Amino acid sequence: DAGVTQSPTHLIKTRGQQVTLRCSPKSGHDTVSWYQQALGQGPQFIFQYYEEEERQRGNFPDRFSGHQFPNYSSELNVNALLLGDSALYLCASSLGQGVTEAFFGQGTRLTVV
Amino acid sequence: AQKITQTQPGMFVQEKEAVTLDCTYDTSDQSYGLFWYKQPSSGEMIFLIYQGSYDEQNATEGRYSLNFQKARKSANLVISASQLGDSAMYFCAMRELRDTPLVFGKGTRLSVIA
């Protein structure tokens, strides 16, 4: 049973560029959430996708957008990158009903220079 | 208002000893879940243990147990027989009602000493 997989694991981008991060949820999970974790901090919720729609959003600007595909996989897009966007980006998958466990991928470490 | 509070930025424990990592939470909802995750230096968040607000028994998973005190709104993680591989960041998190996102604390860095 494959867990949550994210790609790429690391990448370096230049300020002002755009980036796309990818996530495949755990088998059987239909809900994908994205988190940003700055160095030395706990993860901060960006947004959540269920049934291919953004269901909830945290306090992040519109430069952060996403998509969920029919197979439940998801993408996180960040436009006009800032130095402050450097962080570990974590994807979590869960079942959409009730208060259930969320399983995380290994994360994508983004460095903006 | 901060929903999850972890007051111990860092903890040290001797190998084979037990350690308690503190977590308090704030919610007015009756239905919620509490989670503990381990994050080694590799970055992956590893799910350790879950406690539902209506669960009467404290959750246990191997060497991990959750000391759930609902009236005090605390959900402390107890690790028994610490191992060197337990050295990592530990995060407490909460999810209120259905489909709401996880809210994390700032974490506790645990160092196990041989």
Side-chain angles (χ1 to χ4, degrees):
Chain A
D1 179 23
V4 180
T5 57
Q6 291 186 244
S7 62
T9 55
H10 297 80
L11 76 164
I12 300 173
K13 289 287 189 178
T14 303
R15 189 171 47 182
Q17 285 188 312
Q18 179 264 345
V19 68
T20 298
L21 311 181
R22 296 176 175 83
C23 172
S24 292
K26 181 178 170 65
S27 177
H29 285 184
D30 56 7
T31 302
V32 173
S33 302
W34 287 91
Y35 292 81
Q36 180 195 65
Q37 186 179 17
L39 198 61
Q41 301 293 317
Q44 298 291 316
F45 173 72
I46 303 175
F47 43 55
Q48 181 184 77
Y49 277 84
Y50 173 67
E51 291 186 337
E52 302 180 50
E53 291 188 12
E54 183 183 295
R55 299 291 177 166
Q56 298 184 66
R57 189 178 183 91
N59 188 25
F60 279 81
D62 292 344
R63 298 186 298 108
F64 289 78
S65 63
H67 188 77
Q68 186 178 35
F69 299 94
N71 66 354
Y72 306 127
S73 66
S74 176
E75 288 181 349
L76 163 66
N77 300 292
V78 187
N79 294 321
L81 284 166
L82 304 174
L83 296 179
D85 295 331
S86 295
L88 180 68
Y89 289 84
L90 295 163
C91 168
S93 76
S94 60
L95 283 174
Q97 303 297 316
V99 181
T100 58
E101 297 93 317
F103 292 86
F104 284 77
Q106 81 280 9
T108 295
R109 196 169 295 277
L110 171 65
T111 302
V112 182
V113 296
Chain B
Q2 192 167 356
K3 296 210 170 202
I4 296 287
T5 302
Q6 295 181 253
T7 58
Q8 307 152 313
M11 290 279 288
F12 289 89
V13 64
Q14 201 76 32
E15 195 178 8
K16 300 180 184 177
E17 297 291 313
V19 63
T20 298
L21 307 184
D22 294 341
C23 173
T24 57
Y25 61 93
D26 182 28
T27 180
S28 57
D29 290 342
Q30 296 302 309
S31 178
Y32 53 89
L34 296 157
F35 305 78
W36 277 92
Y37 287 87
K38 172 184 178 181
Q39 188 177 43
S41 56
S42 61
E44 181 181 2
M45 295 285 271
I46 302 169
F47 168 74
L48 295 178
I49 196 166
Y50 166 80
Q51 178 88 38
S53 58
Y54 293 115
D55 294 340
E56 295 184 356
Q57 302 275 350
N58 285 343
T60 60
E61 290 287 346
R63 295 186 298 110
Y64 304 108
S65 61
L66 199 152
N67 183 1
F68 182 45
Q69 298 187 45
K70 195 169 183 177
R72 299 177 65 179
K73 293 187 176 179
S74 76
N76 299 339
L77 176 71
V78 180
I79 305 175
S80 62
S82 296
Q83 301 171 358
L84 295 178
D86 293 335
S87 295
M89 284 292 291
Y90 288 80
F91 290 94
C92 178
M94 178 177 67
R95 173 178 283 167
E96 298 168 311
L97 299 178
R98 48 186 270 174
D99 299 337
T100 56
L102 283 168
V103 176
F104 286 84
K106 293 188 175 182
T108 296
R109 181 172 296 280
L110 177 67
S111 299
V112 181
I113 304 167

